Amino acid sequence: IIEDEIYRSKNITIGLLDFSRDKGLSLHDVNINRLLAETLKLIQLQQKYSAFVVRANMEDGLPDISADAGQIRQVFLDIMKNAFEAMKPGGLLNIRTANDMDEGAPIVKIIFEDNGCGISEENLNRIFEAFFSTKGHEGTGLGLSVCYVIMKQHGGRIEVKSEEGMGS
């Protein structure tokens, strides 16, 4: 996992340097449940996230998807980090995977639900904009915009539902 993370970090740095250029994907068959489990192990090793409860309910029998595993892992990490930053210690992050249908085509769905502070209606439409951040000097405003681009490049999408004070 550490070796994979070193290469993922290198690729993130390269991705930030090439933010405006389209760099192709390195697509392989990926088992989303396995990738999510590995990502959860990785994030749970970080002391600053140990104060939160994470529950994962992964549906058996999900088909493999064609994806760049490092980039999808980055999406998972960014979403989880944002959830933790929105919650108080002891907060709960529920993660589910499921088979679903979208316009008659089968899809794999990953749902992250936190019980954090939620997102104001005013900010909800802006969270995927590059350089938009509500974290002041602590955030770059790139995390969710990069997630949006990664999902779009993979032919997927990322959506958010949130109510201020009720989580996301």
Side-chain angles (χ1 to χ4, degrees):
I1 290 175
I2 291 170
E3 185 176 311
D4 288 344
E5 288 308 300
I6 290 169
Y7 287 108
R8 186 184 61 76
S9 295
K10 174 186 166 205
N11 289 334
I12 290 167
T13 304
I14 291 168
L16 288 172
L17 294 172
D18 296 334
F19 190 66
S20 63
R21 263 190 288 160
D22 184 16
K23 260 198 91 120
L25 299 173
S26 176
L27 300 177
H28 301 282
D29 286 345
V30 174
N31 180 294
I32 285 295
N33 285 343
R34 186 176 312 119
L35 183 62
L36 184 56
E38 290 170 0
T39 307
L40 284 169
K41 274 186 199 174
L42 180 68
I43 207 154
Q44 289 171 337
L45 292 173
Q46 297 181 43
Q47 182 67 30
K48 64 183 173 180
Y49 301 125
S50 65
F52 301 98
V53 177
V54 178
R55 291 194 185 129
N57 182 7
M58 295 183 245
E59 185 172 310
D60 291 330
L62 292 181
D64 286 354
I65 63 166
S66 181
D68 185 316
Q71 289 192 7
I72 299 300
R73 179 179 285 121
Q74 184 61 44
V75 171
F76 292 165
L77 285 169
D78 283 345
I79 291 172
M80 286 188 266
K81 287 177 183 180
N82 277 337
F84 294 144
E85 290 169 0
M87 295 186 290
K88 294 178 181 172
L92 174 63
L93 175 60
N94 281 309
I95 304 171
R96 294 190 325 262
T97 62
N99 279 305
D100 205 351
M101 297 293 281
D102 185 33
E103 298 180 11
I107 62 168
V108 173
K109 186 181 275 190
I110 304 103
I111 301 164
F112 296 83
E113 296 175 316
D114 68 59
N115 63 352
C117 61
I119 304 167
S120 71
E121 192 172 327
E122 162 187 330
N123 291 334
L124 200 54
N125 293 328
R126 300 191 63 206
I127 65 169
F128 298 118
E129 288 178 19
F131 306 110
F132 175 76
S133 177
T134 59
K135 299 173 188 170
H137 296 298
E138 292 186 27
T140 62
L142 287 176
L144 290 177
S145 64
V146 169
C147 291
Y148 182 86
V149 170
I150 290 170
M151 294 311 299
K152 191 173 179 180
Q153 287 175 332
H154 280 81
R157 65 177 190 261
I158 184 170
E159 301 172 346
V160 63
K161 294 178 185 174
S162 184
E163 189 174 327
E164 199 165 10
M166 301 296 291
S168 300

